[in-house]
Structures are given as C-alpha cells and as structure tokens.
Amino acid sequence: MLHYQPQALLDMVACLVLRKGAQERERQIEATRRALVTAVSHDLRTPLSVISASATSLLRYGKELSPETQTDLLETIQHHSERLDRLTGKLLSLGRIEGGLSQAKMPVVDVLEVLGSALRSIRPLAANKKIEKALEVRSALARADPSLLEQVFLNVIENAIVHTPEGCTISVSARSVDSTLSVHIDGDGRGIPQSEAEVVFNRFSQ
C-alpha cells in the first residue's frame, strides 16, 4: 500500500486540475479557430460572389453593355472591394466583437440607407429573380455599426436569392411602429424546417 503525505496529495490534485484546465483551454482555442474560419468564409462569400459576377458580365458582355451599365458594374466591384477591406478589419477584431460593442461609441446611421446599399450591392446576384421594395418610411436613424449592419442585410437577402426559384420575386419591406423599425425580406423558397427553426440564429449555424 502506498502512503502519501497530505501536502504531496494536494500537489498531485493541483497538478491534475492545472492539466485539465490547460486541456480545456486548448479545446476552447481550437473551437475559436474553427469558428473564425467559418466566419471568414461566410462573411467574405457575398462580396467575392458579387465581384465575380460583375467582372464576368464585363468580360462576356462588355461591348454590348451601355456605358452607364459598365460604370455601374465597375462601381459595384469597387464597392465590394472596399467591403472586403472593411470586413477583413472586422474579422481581425473578432475578439473585440465577441467581448461586446459599445453602443454609445457607434455612429448614428440611417438604417434604410444601409438597407439600400445592401440591395444595390446584391442585385448582380439576383439574375432572373425580381427584387421589389415597399418602404413605408423614408428614414430610420439608429446607433449601429454600418458595415456589420449591412452584412446582416446581405446575409438575409442572399439567402432569399439562393433559395427562391428563378422567375419569382423577393420582396423587401420596412415599416415603423412605436419607434421600432421592422424590416421584412420574403421570398418564395422552401422555408426553414421547423426542426431547425430553434437554432437558425445561433452563431455559425447553417
């Protein structure tokens, strides 16, 4: 039979606890790395897709397009290139975002202007799908991070485009009730299965 001095036993327990804590930290770090990769691929997908679609249109149909359309496509490429730069900066600050953003330090932005910017940016992806707007208010001011807010709209609109059949319409509406702005983005897709409705807003869920 082995006999341990009380202090030696405590040291062993402490060592085991520290080892377990280190392993848990390693698991958390690895989980964060995987989450970051998912965030990068998801948030960068939309601007890359729009840039690719716009550049492809210019290459294939450049001579047939009006100067105004060519300028519009070039401006779209420029806009999303700038978005990529901003998103890269945001992703590099993921730890700060996870720790919470100070609302007091956010600028006052017009939510409908941000929504309009998202719609203009995403239209090259719509192809044979029509996007209709029905805005009951002209302006809606709120404190928000404009690039992150635009990314929210882009993500939802992109989902509607991807899952709405060709020839169908995607409707975007906004109205204000009791100082609360409500934005609706509706398509004719299959919808989200009820079994997944509970996790749809969980981070990194697809």
Side-chain angles (χ1 to χ4, degrees):
M1 180 178 293
L2 297 175
H3 297 278
Y4 292 100
Q5 295 296 326
Q7 185 58 48
L9 183 59
L10 290 174
D11 290 343
M12 290 180 61
V13 171
C15 183
L16 290 173
V17 169
L18 288 173
R19 183 178 301 173
K20 184 176 180 180
Q23 292 173 347
E24 181 62 27
R25 283 194 297 273
E26 285 296 326
R27 283 194 292 268
Q28 290 176 353
I29 291 172
E30 183 58 30
T32 301
R33 287 172 181 165
R34 289 196 298 267
L36 179 58
V37 170
T38 303
V40 169
S41 46
H42 184 271
D43 287 344
L44 299 187
R45 181 180 59 190
T46 297
L48 286 173
S49 298
V50 173
I51 290 172
S52 177
S54 300
T56 299
S57 296
L58 285 170
L59 287 173
R60 290 183 179 179
Y61 312 110
K63 295 181 180 179
E64 304 172 16
L65 300 175
S66 67
E68 292 78 10
T69 301
Q70 293 182 36
T71 299
D72 185 61
L73 289 172
L74 288 171
E75 288 177 347
T76 297
I77 292 173
Q78 180 184 33
H79 173 76
H80 279 277
S81 296
E82 293 170 350
R83 274 194 56 77
L84 283 175
D85 183 61
R86 293 196 301 271
L87 284 171
T88 300
K90 293 297 182 182
L91 289 170
L92 291 175
S93 301
L94 188 60
R96 179 180 64 85
I97 296 172
E98 286 288 355
L101 296 173
S102 173
Q103 186 178 19
K105 295 181 179 180
M106 291 182 182
V108 175
V109 300
D110 189 333
V111 177
L112 295 183
E113 285 188 4
V114 177
L115 175 61
S117 176
L119 286 170
R120 288 191 297 273
S121 300
I122 205 82
R123 282 189 184 277
L125 290 183
N128 298 324
K129 302 164 189 178
K130 185 179 180 181
I131 299 178
E132 290 185 346
K133 291 192 301 181
L135 308 181
E136 297 181 11
V137 289
R138 295 184 177 181
S139 178
L141 301 181
R143 286 194 178 276
D145 184 302
S147 61
L148 294 179
L149 179 59
E150 184 175 4
Q151 188 62 45
V152 171
F153 288 137
L154 285 171
N155 288 346
V156 179
I157 297 170
E158 181 190 13
N159 285 341
I161 291 173
V162 169
H163 298 289
T164 295
E166 289 190 7
C168 294
T169 299
I170 298 161
S171 62
V172 179
S173 60
R175 62 193 183 97
S176 179
V177 178
D178 297 330
S179 300
T180 298
L181 180 70
S182 178
V183 177
H184 293 262
I185 298 168
D186 302 297
D188 296 324
R190 293 173 297 175
I192 300 171
Q194 189 60 38
S195 60
E196 299 179 15
E198 296 296 326
V199 300
V200 67
F201 289 111
N202 290 353
R203 194 165 185 205
F204 308 126
S205 294
Q206 296 189 15

